Amino acid sequence: MRKGFLWMALIGLSVNLQAQASRENVSQEIEPVAIVQDGIRFCESTYPYNGGILIANFGTSELNPLNSEGKGYIVWHKDGKTEIIVPADGNLSAPKGMFERDGYLFVCDVNKIVVYHLSVPGEHPRIIRLPEGDLFVNDLAASGNMLYVSVTNTDKIYRIDISDPANPGAPVEWTSIPGPNGLLVDSGVMYVASYPADGKTQDKHIIYRIDNLDTPQPEKFVQTPGQYDGIAFSSDKKSIYITNWTPAQLSKIDLRTRQIVPVQLKLANPLIGPADITVDGEKIYIPDLPNSRVLVVEE
């Protein structure tokens, strides 16, 4: 009887531990503290700026990430108010990832990077062209004086010398990763979110890490395939947040265990296309591209 009782107790303990582990792998449902929609039209990217958030918009009547209509614009959202900071001047068509240094805003666009001098509104921007065929110029991240540029459809990451942001260098091919989309760099380590440009997810479309930026050797960091887009550190730098288009969701990855935990969002209208996210002030800004809105949730 004692053996039987002990056996049943062990089974019960195992079931309870499994249930607890299962609960720990799913976050509590979070309701956004705000939804930004005013002045938004097909928003792909967010970026912290001057106490608020920059939001890049296509501005087109139909969603086309490779359009050439020149209707793209960028707004600045702060304290519940949204204003245009870069108007539709014909230079942006499908603006995506952004990076700012010393008043110069670098913006990814179709086959190019557009550089605006925010301190001098109306000044004609500098255009940095990429090689023909590099269409899905997607995200930017800097380490020191090097700006890294992902091109999703050609599996390339370039780097540009921005020691003088007013006169950036030419793009130089740096490394190759399948479908590089979101880029994240800190302390000489890069994380890369992979996205299939043709929409066909394969085992290679995962999260990669590069430990040495001088001699890049991409390694698999999280091996669950997906259509990964945005990537950002949590405020405590112990985790990273990633967005995935299939299924459409936000997830959190523990940098020590590499465990992926979906973040459950309480939404009346479901998330469709979460793109280039930002974490700032313990808030996560999630552009939902097809729905033309930015969800703001607390960590």
Side-chain angles (χ1 to χ4, degrees), residues 41 59 65-66 74 90 108 141 153 169 201 212 227 229 251 255 262 291:
R41 182 61 179 174
L66 291 179
I74 296 170
C108 292
N153 71 301
T201 306
N212 190 329
Q227 295 186 2
D229 193 322
S251 296
L255 289 176
N291 278 327

Side-chain angles (χ1 to χ4, degrees):
M1 292 295 295
R2 289 183 179 177
K3 290 183 179 179
F5 178 80
L6 178 61
W7 178 248
M8 292 301 294
L10 289 173
I11 292 176
L13 177 61
S14 175
V15 170
N16 287 335
L17 289 175
Q18 290 178 15
Q20 180 180 352
S22 177
R23 288 194 297 271
E24 291 174 349
N25 288 338
V26 178
S27 68
Q28 293 182 343
E29 194 172 51
I30 300 174
E31 186 171 1
V33 296
I35 298 178
V36 183
Q37 293 179 293
D38 183 36
I40 303 300
R41 182 61 179 174
F42 295 139
C43 50
E44 201 281 340
S45 180
T46 56
Y47 186 82
Y49 176 73
N50 198 19
I53 295 292
L54 296 179
I55 305 170
N57 299 268
F58 294 0
T60 50
S61 58
E62 296 181 359
L63 177 56
N64 179 1
L66 291 179
N67 83 83
S68 58
E69 296 182 31
K71 296 179 179 179
Y73 63 97
I74 296 170
V75 301
W76 179 47
H77 179 81
K78 182 180 180 181
D79 298 332
K81 298 180 180 179
T82 302
E83 64 180 77
I84 294 176
I85 193 169
V86 176
D89 60 2
N91 289 295
L92 296 174
S93 293
K96 301 179 181 71
M98 295 175 281
F99 174 79
E100 185 270 339
R101 175 170 289 180
D102 297 340
Y104 289 89
L105 180 66
F106 294 73
V107 186
C108 292
D109 203 78
V110 181
N111 194 222
K112 63 186 178 182
I113 299 167
V114 185
V115 187
Y116 287 93
H117 192 187
L118 296 180
S119 302
V120 186
E123 182 176 281
H124 194 275
R126 176 184 290 269
I127 307 297
I128 302 175
R129 297 286 180 183
L130 274 78
E132 184 178 357
D134 287 340
L135 300 178
F136 280 94
V137 185
N138 213 298
D139 201 14
L140 302 168
S143 178
N145 288 324
M146 289 297 172
L147 181 65
Y148 296 86
V149 186
S150 63
V151 182
T152 307
N153 71 301
T154 55
D155 301 339
K156 296 176 183 177
I157 298 179
Y158 291 86
R159 67 178 180 181
I160 299 172
D161 187 335
I162 57 168
S163 52
D164 180 5
N167 297 284
V172 176
E173 190 171 342
W174 178 64
T175 194
S176 178
I177 285 180
N181 193 314
L183 302 179
L184 183 63
V185 179
D186 184 66
S187 301
V189 177
M190 177 182 288
Y191 296 90
V192 182
S194 176
Y195 184 100
D198 61 2
K200 300 176 182 178
T201 306
Q202 301 181 43
D203 290 343
K204 62 184 179 180
H205 297 118
I206 56 175
I207 306 298
Y208 292 87
R209 183 173 68 185
I210 298 173
D211 288 331
N212 190 329
L213 301 183
D214 293 327
T215 55
Q217 296 181 345
E219 298 178 351
K220 296 178 179 179
F221 183 68
V222 171
Q223 300 195 41
T224 302
Q227 295 186 2
Y228 298 114
D229 193 322
I231 184 168
F233 283 111
S234 60
S235 56
D236 61 10
K237 294 289 186 75
K238 294 181 179 180
S239 304
I240 55 177
Y241 291 99
I242 56 171
T243 58
N244 189 358
W245 282 62
T246 52
Q249 66 183 21
L250 173 74
S251 296
K252 189 176 184 179
I253 303 174
D254 186 299
L255 289 176
R256 183 179 60 85
T257 66
R258 306 189 185 189
Q259 182 183 36
I260 304 178
V261 178
V263 177
Q264 308 298 323
L265 300 176
K266 185 178 181 180
L267 298 169
N269 297 318
L271 195 65
I272 297 180
D276 188 10
I277 56 176
T278 290
V279 176
D280 188 58
E282 298 186 350
K283 288 184 173 63
I284 311 169
Y285 296 82
I286 311 164
D288 188 6
L289 174 57
N291 278 327
S292 294
R293 62 180 179 174
V294 175
L295 308 176
V296 185
V297 301
E298 294 183 340
E299 287 191 88

